[in-house]
Amino acid sequence: MQSTQIVLRQRPVGAPNAETFEVRTSELPDIQDGEVLLAIRYLSLDPYMRGRLSTAKSYAAPVEIGQVMVGATVGQVLATRHERLHEGDWVVSYSGWQTHAVEHGDMLRKLDPSIAPVTTALGVLGMPGMTAYWGLLEIGRPQPGETVVVAAATGPVGSAVGQIARIKGARAVGIAGGPEKCRLLVDTFGFDAAVDHRAPDFVDQLVAATPDGIDVNFENVGGSVFDAVQRRLNPGARVPLCGLVSHYNDTAMPQGPDRLPGFLSGLLTRSILVQGFIVDIAKVSRATNFWTDMPAWIRDGGVTYLEDIVSGIEQAPEAFSGLLQGANTGKLIVQVS
Amino acid sequence: MQSTQIVLRQRPVGAPNAETFEVRTSELPDIQDGEVLLAIRYLSLDPYMRGRLSTAKSYAAPVEIGQVMVGATVGQVLATRHERLHEGDWVVSYSGWQTHAVEHGDMLRKLDPSIAPVTTALGVLGMPGMTAYWGLLEIGRPQPGETVVVAAATGPVGSAVGQIARIKGARAVGIAGGPEKCRLLVDTFGFDAAVDHRAPDFVDQLVAATPDGIDVNFENVGGSVFDAVQRRLNPGARVPLCGLVSHYNDTAMPQGPDRLPGFLSGLLTRSILVQGFIVDIAKVSRATNFWTDMPAWIRDGGVTYLEDIVSGIEQAPEAFSGLLQGANTGKLIVQVS
């Protein structure tokens, strides 16, 4: 069986470009005992993937030149030598940017398509949903009446953060780029207020939307939006930090002035907590009620999700570049085949 | 009764100077029911006082121009109209930079000089000791075998941090200015290693002293020392942040490059926690074993302390300026009378 694959061709300096990836066709090995052959149906595109293109020290190893680009996938079993998995079964795997893959069956989570659409395993019922759930509830710990602010708020993490915040009785304020996304935040996701970071009066909008200051800043973007938000943090505020997408393409330290001392001083004088975190799927599954809470919230409409589906594996590089610039709306997924 | 007082004359721009304070003699009012007249014996000088000279937003109100400079004090009762307090009793008060004060007796904590020297109420058994205890144990949570780094390590907070870390089975590394203070860290306070931040090979010394990286960085200084330390933080490290003495005299944001994005990126990729905090004496007393642990550790020699005592209230301004520059060794106290 052949697999069409997107492999890393050259590490980008700054934003990924036409030289970063290339398409390759590889012959897959025959499956061995315990293995399955998968047809990849859906590939998740996520901001963290920018980190995998770089050799900078991080929490996971970089993708090597010539290696298939990594990523979470949903696939169907085409052939099986694993006792628990049958032909046609849906599974979640980490097969990366390719059309077919051979995986050991023990590494795969089987999906029940009757519970929720299988694509949710890449979004609200997958890593992004868990990131929102863990970061907000375990680190942010919003109390009823408190104000929670999240940027990239129409994305799969941000939209879940705002909706869970409201379920917990907090005021949810979302930040997004452009009036259309802002309308979506209020109308579709039920945020209490939306702030457009591309508007010239962004800071005034933020102040108006957070009259009592900010108690939880779920941070996934960084940059100038973060600057404005952190100035409004209340004493005792919590900042779960799970992404800095605005900096992922940075090639050097930005010019001054140096904002670090002022930032630290704000943490000190207002007793603020900042906690960087990477979601640990096993830990969330074990230590929280994610698997009962989240499906229930989806069923009762407390948590809505939005998907942005692009067709064809060869579209992945361009869609990924757009993701880093905020071009899409909702969870970005590539429909592979 | 007259009180000789040091009052704020002019807010300093940068370091406090000869124009910042002036001496005044004031006639104190007669004591009313419930009040006592105190002879202040000892005044504590602490880095946080720099913040009280400024109108910048902080966790406590600034000292007003013409107002007696604030500070923790140990005094003796000269005259009393409070039922629980008698002439000659030792008490802790927050009477500020002056020789005598009238205070309501209900606000005062009585000291038993047979338990420990009364000056310890300003240091290891007072706010600095509580800051070390709370920040290290509640936020830093060092585990046996982990490495704890603290700067300004010969100071009352830093020296307690290192010694408590060792009691908890962690490796204690202290940072101080100059070989003499470094010797003190190892010989007197029992740190596992000392690093001289004034040495040209400071970074190499730090690397050598922390072969397994750093798990807890008790941060009270900031600046270039902090930069070097944070580069060695391990995944999952904790940074209790209770001071930034190296920045207290800053008059503007330092020149670039802007180190904030890189700092945040480090927190993210290594899942690091930073928690600003101001010690809450009531909370520490209520929620921890401070009042049993610390006296026991002092008795059994696990925690040693060092005092730097200056004579005469009129010496307070100069001693305070020196404190901000690291000129003293040990807990800085003014013997008032």
Side-chain angles (χ1 to χ4, degrees):
Chain A
M1 172 64 69
Q2 286 197 323
S3 180
T4 303
Q5 305 173 322
I6 312 282
V7 303
L8 178 59
R9 178 168 176 265
Q10 187 181 291
R11 300 195 187 285
V13 178
N17 55 51
E19 311 299 308
T20 305
F21 300 103
E22 66 185 348
V23 181
R24 184 179 66 189
T25 302
S26 292
E27 186 67 29
L28 295 177
D30 292 336
I31 55 174
Q32 305 296 315
D33 271 353
E35 292 184 335
V36 295
L37 172 66
L38 297 178
I40 305 302
R41 303 300 185 200
Y42 300 100
L43 162 67
S44 181
L45 294 181
D46 301 277
Y48 78 84
M49 292 169 168
R50 178 63 184 84
R52 299 292 80 73
L53 300 180
S54 156
T55 54
K57 200 176 162 186
S58 185
Y59 48 89
V63 176
E64 299 299 330
I65 302 291
Q67 195 183 331
V68 177
M69 183 62 192
V70 296
T73 43
V74 164
Q76 269 190 298
V77 175
L78 288 188
T80 175
R81 291 182 65 180
H82 188 274
E83 54 181 11
R84 192 174 51 85
L85 294 171
H86 308 287
E87 211 175 303
D89 279 354
W90 288 93
V91 296
V92 188
S93 62
Y94 201 75
S95 301
W97 299 21
Q98 57 180 333
T99 58
H100 297 80
V102 169
E103 301 283 359
H104 197 287
D106 291 351
M107 306 300 291
L108 306 178
R109 183 161 64 84
K110 200 168 156 179
L111 292 174
D112 180 350
S114 72
I115 289 178
V118 293
T119 50
T120 58
L122 303 178
V124 70
L125 288 179
M127 184 272 289
M130 282 189 169
T131 300
Y133 185 95
W134 176 270
L136 183 65
L137 299 182
E138 299 294 321
I139 301 171
R141 299 171 184 260
Q143 304 302 308
E146 286 193 333
T147 298
V148 173
V149 169
V150 63
T154 61
V157 176
S159 60
V161 165
Q163 294 177 96
I164 299 171
R166 281 187 54 85
I167 288 169
K168 296 297 178 182
R171 176 178 167 79
V173 177
I175 301 174
E180 202 172 321
K181 285 185 177 181
C182 284
R183 255 193 310 276
L184 198 70
L185 286 179
V186 174
D187 295 348
T188 301
F189 293 124
F191 280 68
D192 294 281
V195 177
D196 180 358
H197 70 78
R198 293 193 181 141
D201 65 341
F202 159 63
V203 173
D204 295 338
Q205 285 190 24
L206 180 68
V207 170
T210 58
D212 301 324
I214 297 170
D215 302 294
V216 179
N217 170 32
F218 191 104
E219 186 54 48
N220 47 9
V221 173
S224 59
V225 170
F226 177 61
D227 284 358
V229 168
Q230 60 113 339
R231 278 194 288 273
R232 291 196 61 69
L233 291 177
N234 288 328
R238 289 81 65 199
V239 183
L241 170 69
C242 74
L244 288 166
V245 65
S246 73
H247 295 294
Y248 288 171
N249 287 334
D250 284 357
T251 53
M253 276 202 281
Q255 287 200 299
D258 179 12
R259 297 175 303 156
L260 182 57
F263 174 75
L264 293 173
S265 177
L267 299 188
L268 173 60
T269 57
R270 284 175 283 158
S271 298
I272 292 168
L273 173 145
V274 181
Q275 167 80 68
F277 76 104
I278 305 301
V279 75
D280 176 335
I281 291 176
K283 190 173 176 183
V284 175
S285 299
R286 193 177 61 235
T288 75
N289 296 320
F290 178 84
W291 289 112
T292 49
D293 282 347
M294 204 61 143
W297 293 337
I298 293 172
R299 274 195 305 276
D300 71 18
V303 172
T304 297
Y305 61 92
L306 204 69
E307 293 175 343
D308 186 342
I309 297 189
V310 171
S311 252
I313 187 77
E314 70 285 354
Q315 300 303 319
E318 195 181 325
F320 177 61
S321 292
L323 173 70
L324 295 177
Q325 289 150 31
N328 66 300
T329 301
K331 173 64 196 126
L332 184 57
I333 293 173
V334 178
Q335 183 161 23
V336 175
S337 58
Chain B
M1 172 63 69
Q2 288 197 322
S3 180
T4 302
Q5 305 175 323
I6 311 282
V7 303
L8 178 58
R9 178 167 176 265
Q10 186 182 292
R11 298 195 189 285
V13 178
N17 56 51
E19 310 299 307
T20 305
F21 300 104
E22 66 186 346
V23 181
R24 184 178 68 189
T25 302
S26 293
E27 186 67 29
L28 296 177
D30 291 337
I31 55 175
Q32 306 295 315
D33 272 353
E35 292 184 336
V36 295
L37 172 66
L38 297 178
I40 306 301
R41 303 299 184 200
Y42 299 101
L43 161 68
S44 180
L45 294 181
D46 301 278
Y48 78 85
M49 292 169 168
R50 179 62 185 84
R52 301 289 82 73
L53 299 181
S54 157
T55 54
K57 201 174 160 186
S58 186
Y59 48 88
V63 176
E64 299 298 333
I65 302 292
Q67 194 183 332
V68 177
M69 183 61 192
V70 295
T73 43
V74 164
Q76 268 190 298
V77 176
L78 287 186
T80 177
R81 291 181 65 181
H82 188 276
E83 54 180 10
R84 194 175 49 84
L85 294 172
H86 308 287
E87 211 176 303
D89 279 355
W90 287 94
V91 296
V92 187
S93 63
Y94 201 75
S95 301
W97 298 21
Q98 58 181 332
T99 58
H100 297 81
V102 170
E103 302 283 357
H104 198 287
D106 291 352
M107 307 299 292
L108 306 178
R109 184 162 62 83
K110 200 167 154 179
L111 292 174
D112 180 350
S114 72
I115 290 178
V118 292
T119 50
T120 58
L122 303 178
V124 72
L125 288 178
M127 184 273 288
M130 282 189 170
T131 299
Y133 185 95
W134 176 270
L136 184 66
L137 299 182
E138 298 294 320
I139 302 170
R141 299 170 185 264
Q143 304 302 307
E146 285 192 336
T147 298
V148 174
V149 169
V150 62
T154 61
V157 176
S159 60
V161 165
Q163 293 176 94
I164 298 171
R166 282 187 53 86
I167 288 168
K168 296 297 178 182
R171 174 177 168 80
V173 176
I175 301 175
E180 202 171 323
K181 285 185 176 178
C182 284
R183 254 193 310 277
L184 198 67
L185 287 179
V186 175
D187 295 348
T188 301
F189 293 123
F191 280 67
D192 294 283
V195 176
D196 181 358
H197 70 78
R198 294 192 181 141
D201 65 341
F202 159 63
V203 173
D204 294 339
Q205 284 189 23
L206 180 67
V207 170
T210 58
D212 301 324
I214 297 170
D215 303 292
V216 179
N217 169 31
F218 191 103
E219 187 52 50
N220 48 9
V221 173
S224 59
V225 171
F226 177 61
D227 284 358
V229 168
Q230 60 113 340
R231 277 195 289 273
R232 292 196 61 70
L233 291 176
N234 288 329
R238 290 81 67 198
V239 182
L241 170 69
C242 74
L244 289 165
V245 66
S246 72
H247 296 293
Y248 288 170
N249 287 334
D250 284 358
T251 54
M253 277 202 281
Q255 288 200 299
D258 179 12
R259 296 175 304 155
L260 181 57
F263 175 74
L264 293 174
S265 176
L267 299 188
L268 173 60
T269 56
R270 284 173 283 159
S271 298
I272 291 167
L273 174 146
V274 181
Q275 167 79 69
F277 76 104
I278 306 300
V279 77
D280 177 334
I281 291 175
K283 190 171 174 186
V284 175
S285 298
R286 192 177 61 236
T288 76
N289 296 320
F290 179 83
W291 289 113
T292 48
D293 281 347
M294 205 60 141
W297 292 337
I298 293 172
R299 273 195 304 276
D300 72 17
V303 172
T304 298
Y305 60 92
L306 205 68
E307 294 174 342
D308 186 342
I309 297 187
V310 171
S311 251
I313 188 76
E314 69 286 352
Q315 300 303 318
E318 195 182 326
F320 176 60
S321 292
L323 173 69
L324 295 177
Q325 289 150 31
N328 67 301
T329 302
K331 173 66 195 121
L332 183 58
I333 293 173
V334 178
Q335 183 161 22
V336 175
S337 58

